[in-house]
Amino acid sequence: MADPKGFLTTGREVAQTRPVAERVKDWNEVYVPGSLLPIISKQAGRCMDCGIPFCHNGCPLGNLIPEWNDYAYREDWTAASERLHATNNFPEFTGRLCPAPCESACVLGINQPAVTIKNVEVSIIDKAWDSGDVTPQPPERLSGKTVAVIGSGPAGLAAAQQLTRAGHTVAVYERADRIGGLLRYGIPEFKMEKSHINRRIEQMRLEGTKFRTEVEIGKDIDAAKLRRRYDAVVIAAGATVSRDLPVPGRELGGIHFAMEYLPLANKVQEGDLTVSPIHAGGKHVVVIGGGDTGADCVGTAHRQGAASVTQLEIMPKPGEERTANQPWPTFPMLYKVTSAHEEGGERVYSVSTTHFEGDEDGNVAALHLVEVEFKDGKLEQKPGTERRLPAQLVTLAMGFTGTDQSNGLVQQFGLELDQRGNVARDEHYATNVDGVFVAGDAGRGQSLIVWAIAEGRSAARGVDRFLTGTSALPAPIRPTDRSLLV
């Protein structure tokens, strides 16, 4: 184990963030560069090397957390990187973006602050990149089989890298102009700088993976024709249909889905635009939806100079401690203050939008809401609680409802869907169409980045088995596996 007394002698210490007044003026990551490395070995030493590491169960990737904690404690960064990559293709993504269900399942977390697993992870991978331990791993021989991967988010990239390393010739198709999916255009730069994606893509290119951008399967290429061109196809197109808010005034200008708003801000950072066409500067901004995507909108609005930012959530405010009905090691619903919330704005819970009010030009001017409460399992409005919020920009960040069917991909393949509108698959991630597999949110529904990578790795095994009759690739999860929730 690491330090036998570490959890007794060392307190939890997390990454240091830059001052709010400084970071809202730029789009760089919010953490102080280099602040983790001086403290991370002692933090890794807090790992108890418990007999049954429940952090493995909390993480769908099955990360070997006690092992790389031990190596990080001993500052054997090369060995730590090897253990980290044994289960995770992209730890620099998860180390920055994952909500860390592993920490919720940490045994130390029963009666103490959990090990800073996420910070240890990102320290190991950043050190590995800096020291040159991350190198291309091209296959020793080619199988002669070809695979098309539709979508370049974390599920598609994980599947593509696994299949390329297994010796198959893989081409990734992405409808956007750059590779990365939501990692590229859904995640703001201040949460993950896109240089982390770029160097992974370059590693994958050197391994042999091919990338095709600005090609939408179903529109630019008929899905059935694509299937005939390749020996197998992996659909990793995500669950990209945003949940709408059908209330009076929804048609007014200035009301946008989060995934209309956030990509444009990222386009500015990529140098494609000088100013975003949807800009919060000087406006009263209301974000509807209390999750991570909503927080991304909040942080983006701050950096664009919003006059005010208010985030609305229909659910009650969560507590700061685990409740009895969310016991360890499940992932609890706790009150979370993200870096974006530290930067200002108001958070309002237990409210529902009734309608939008417009100005004489047809643009949104205000939002009307009412407080709500649960009674007998139903959500009811509280009379006399209506109020009006000024709003010149509204972003809808209420989640996603399923995979996109408007481009013809589902129909052209002839795919069957499940009751939730996701692409149906069997235990090997295979769809009802021979040779066509599905991974990530397209099959699971809206989920976390760790689940997407785990699905990509698992689907790759199903594809490899289909192409060769057997497979040595790992499959960390089954399609039916779910998070540790009550």
Side-chain angles (χ1 to χ4, degrees), residues 343-405:
E343 294 161 2
E346 182 183 4
R347 303 168 76 178
V348 183
Y349 291 88
S350 297
V351 293
S352 178
T353 302
T354 59
H355 64 281
F356 297 106
E357 174 187 328
D359 60 19
E360 62 276 8
D361 297 320
N363 296 315
V364 65
L367 174 150
H368 292 255
L369 56 80
V370 63
E371 293 181 17
V372 294
E373 60 183 344
F374 281 96
K375 284 187 176 180
D376 300 324
K378 295 181 179 180
L379 202 62
E380 296 185 3
Q381 297 183 359
K382 298 172 66 174
T385 61
E386 299 84 359
R387 63 176 166 132
R388 176 184 183 273
L389 285 180
Q392 288 88 49
L393 173 61
V394 177
T395 61
L396 307 180
M398 303 180 296
F400 303 90
T401 60
T403 192
D404 187 1
Q405 297 184 49

Side-chain angles (χ1 to χ4, degrees), residues 129-410:
W129 277 107
D130 291 342
S131 61
D133 285 335
V134 183
T135 58
Q137 299 179 36
E140 294 183 359
R141 61 181 63 86
L142 296 178
S143 67
K145 301 293 186 180
T146 58
V147 182
V149 176
I150 303 172
S152 67
L157 292 179
Q161 187 168 63
Q162 293 293 96
L163 291 167
T164 296
R165 290 175 174 179
H168 308 303
T169 300
V170 180
V172 178
Y173 289 85
E174 169 58 53
R175 62 182 176 181
D177 59 345
R178 289 181 177 88
I179 296 297
L182 290 185
L183 294 172
R184 174 73 65 180
Y185 287 128
I187 302 298
E189 191 85 357
F190 59 82
K191 282 184 68 175
M192 187 181 74
E193 295 173 7
K194 300 307 176 274
S195 58
H196 300 297
I197 304 175
N198 296 340
R199 62 187 180 185
R200 272 298 175 186
I201 298 306
E202 182 59 24
Q203 180 202 34
M204 293 178 66
R205 288 187 197 277
L206 293 174
E207 291 173 347
T209 304
K210 310 297 181 184
F211 295 97
R212 306 281 187 265
T213 57
E214 297 184 282
V215 179
E216 185 169 5
I217 306 304
K219 286 187 177 179
D220 301 313
I221 297 178
D222 184 272
K225 291 181 179 178
L226 185 80
R227 173 65 189 93
R228 293 193 292 269
R229 186 184 302 177
Y230 289 87
D231 295 309
V233 174
V234 178
I235 298 172
T240 57
V241 180
S242 299
R243 181 173 283 108
D244 208 342
L245 184 61
V247 298
R250 170 63 180 89
E251 73 286 351
L252 292 168
I255 304 173
H256 304 274
F257 290 119
M259 288 312 300
E260 295 173 328
Y261 176 58
L262 295 173
L264 291 171
N266 281 344
K267 284 277 193 179
V268 173
Q269 301 311 307
E270 294 282 5
D272 298 341
L273 300 170
T274 303
V275 179
S276 171
I278 306 175
H279 202 274
K283 298 177 180 178
H284 295 291
V285 178
V286 177
V287 179
I288 302 179
D292 287 339
T293 302
D296 293 344
C297 293
V298 170
T300 299
H302 288 321
R303 283 159 180 76
Q304 292 179 341
S308 70
V309 183
T310 305
Q311 186 176 15
L312 308 182
E313 169 60 64
I314 197 169
M315 301 299 291
K317 181 179 177 180
E320 297 186 9
E321 302 290 338
R322 285 184 184 268
T323 58
N325 65 344
Q326 295 179 347
W328 176 90
T330 61
F331 188 69
M333 301 302 294
L334 300 177
Y335 180 70
K336 181 170 66 171
V337 179
T338 69
S339 64
H341 297 128
E342 292 173 353
E343 294 161 2
E346 182 183 4
R347 303 168 76 178
V348 183
Y349 291 88
S350 297
V351 293
S352 178
T353 302
T354 59
H355 64 281
F356 297 106
E357 174 187 328
D359 60 19
E360 62 276 8
D361 297 320
N363 296 315
V364 65
L367 174 150
H368 292 255
L369 56 80
V370 63
E371 293 181 17
V372 294
E373 60 183 344
F374 281 96
K375 284 187 176 180
D376 300 324
K378 295 181 179 180
L379 202 62
E380 296 185 3
Q381 297 183 359
K382 298 172 66 174
T385 61
E386 299 84 359
R387 63 176 166 132
R388 176 184 183 273
L389 285 180
Q392 288 88 49
L393 173 61
V394 177
T395 61
L396 307 180
M398 303 180 296
F400 303 90
T401 60
T403 192
D404 187 1
Q405 297 184 49
S406 65
N407 58 12
L409 183 149
V410 170

